[in-house]
Amino acid sequence: MIPDTGGGPGMGGRLLAMARTGRVRRLLAESPATRELANRYVAGESIDMLIHTVGDRLSKGLAVSIDPLRVPDPTPAGVAASGAVYLEVLRCLDEHHLSAGVDLLVKIDALGLAEDGPHPVSGMQDLRRICRTADNCGCTVTIDVVPKGDMDRIFSVVQELRMDHPSVGVTVPAMLRRTESDCRELAAQGMRVRLCRGSWRDTAEKSFNKSHEVDLSFVRCLNTLMSSLAHPVVTSHDPRMVEITLDLARRAARPADSYEFQMLLGVRPLEQRRLADIGCIMRTQLPFGPGWYDYFLRRVAMRPSGVMDHLRSLLSPR
């Protein structure tokens, strides 16, 4: 067993660093074994593969949230390409009669809108077009959090969108010290709020960097959302957070359709099934697209057991 879980010192960290280099990256990305493992966590590289996975999830009584994996490209061509991907996903879902109730996670950095100040007009135009298309085919849009991004900028974009598209939701990370206050403001508006932990490090003044502090912040934010008219989306695989959510829902006498759980494809599948079976909205997050390899490596870093053996065997000279 390799004890290291990320890019730090130790054999595990060295293997992951090697897996990101050019020649080794090509070797692993083209390996059928890597693809087979990645399929546990990624809904394919193409939209056709995504559509198949969406149909499978829906047939099992699970809701879905689609997360296109793209590397942000702030050039006009890059912004246009990102906008086109989101629109094509919605078009294909509608064409296959799978769009109703699907949520689309949109990263505004992919549309050149993450930073405050001047931004591409085309990016906001594309974002509005995405929201209109989603409304027309019965989908929702959730603006995803951007690592170390400007939350005020994100909220500004969301509030502008909500004037014409009130169903638009937003992601907030419990690791930020400001998020409890943000949740109170968002809850007062009755918004759909996707609460996550956050997975990057920031300065001590801006974020909680100890795991138990983030847990406590998550619970405080969750309590605020569950005791309001907001629609909480609880993005956690932690059994404690699941049970706390269910307990808060019971105490607030919340209808089953007034909140939901969200977990990643390939993580705790039996628990996802259980929550759906007891009547909860259980939404599987489906990452897909050409950025699948980097996403897969991040999953390896978080859950290295078994997968590290695969990486070691492929990189071994023997």
Side-chain angles (χ1 to χ4, degrees), residues 85-276:
V85 168
Y86 289 119
L87 290 169
E88 181 65 7
V89 167
L90 293 170
R91 186 193 68 77
C92 289
L93 287 171
D94 191 39
E95 182 179 279
H96 288 83
H97 307 290
L98 297 172
S99 58
V102 169
D103 186 56
L104 179 66
L105 282 172
V106 176
K107 295 177 175 63
I108 64 173
D109 58 343
L111 300 175
L113 299 170
E115 301 299 328
D116 203 356
H119 55 271
V121 174
S122 61
M124 200 65 198
Q125 290 174 340
D126 283 345
L127 189 49
R128 291 183 180 280
R129 190 176 299 116
I130 290 165
C131 290
R132 286 198 303 270
T133 304
D135 287 348
N136 290 339
C137 66
C139 294
T140 56
V141 169
T142 299
I143 303 303
D144 203 0
V145 69
V146 180
K148 299 186 180 181
D150 184 341
M151 292 303 298
D152 287 327
R153 174 64 188 149
I154 292 174
F155 292 142
S156 174
V157 168
V158 169
Q159 296 296 353
E160 188 173 341
L161 289 172
R162 276 173 49 82
M163 288 190 288
D164 296 315
H165 309 282
S167 67
V168 169
V170 65
T171 304
V172 293
M175 65 170 290
L176 295 183
R177 294 177 181 270
R178 60 172 291 168
T179 297
E180 187 177 358
S181 174
D182 289 335
C183 282
R184 286 194 292 268
E185 292 187 24
L186 298 171
Q189 301 175 48
M191 282 185 60
R192 184 162 50 83
V193 181
R194 180 175 176 265
L195 178 64
C196 69
R197 283 180 59 87
S199 59
W200 63 92
R201 290 194 174 275
D202 210 328
T203 61
E205 292 78 14
K206 294 182 180 179
S207 67
F208 301 106
N209 289 321
K210 294 181 179 179
S211 182
H212 76 277
E213 292 178 330
V214 179
D215 286 345
L216 292 174
S217 173
F218 194 102
V219 173
R220 291 194 299 270
C221 293
L222 181 58
N223 186 56
T224 295
L225 296 172
M226 295 293 282
S227 60
S228 73
L229 295 178
H231 182 98
V233 180
V234 184
T235 306
S236 177
H237 307 106
D238 187 336
R240 299 169 301 166
M241 298 305 168
V242 171
E243 291 308 313
I244 289 171
T245 301
L246 292 172
D247 183 59
L248 289 173
R250 284 191 292 266
R251 294 186 183 199
R254 293 193 67 120
D257 62 355
S258 69
Y259 68 99
E260 57 191 72
F261 293 96
Q262 187 172 123
M263 296 184 187
L264 289 164
L265 178 67
V267 182
R268 303 197 71 198
L270 295 180
E271 178 66 356
Q272 293 192 37
R273 179 71 268 161
R274 181 186 77 86
L275 290 169

Side-chain angles (χ1 to χ4, degrees), residues 29-50:
E30 294 171 4
S31 163
T34 299
R35 293 274 182 159
E36 183 178 351
L37 281 170
N39 286 341
R40 299 180 188 177
Y41 304 111
V42 183
E45 187 170 356
S46 68
I47 292 181
D48 286 342
M49 297 171 73
L50 169 69

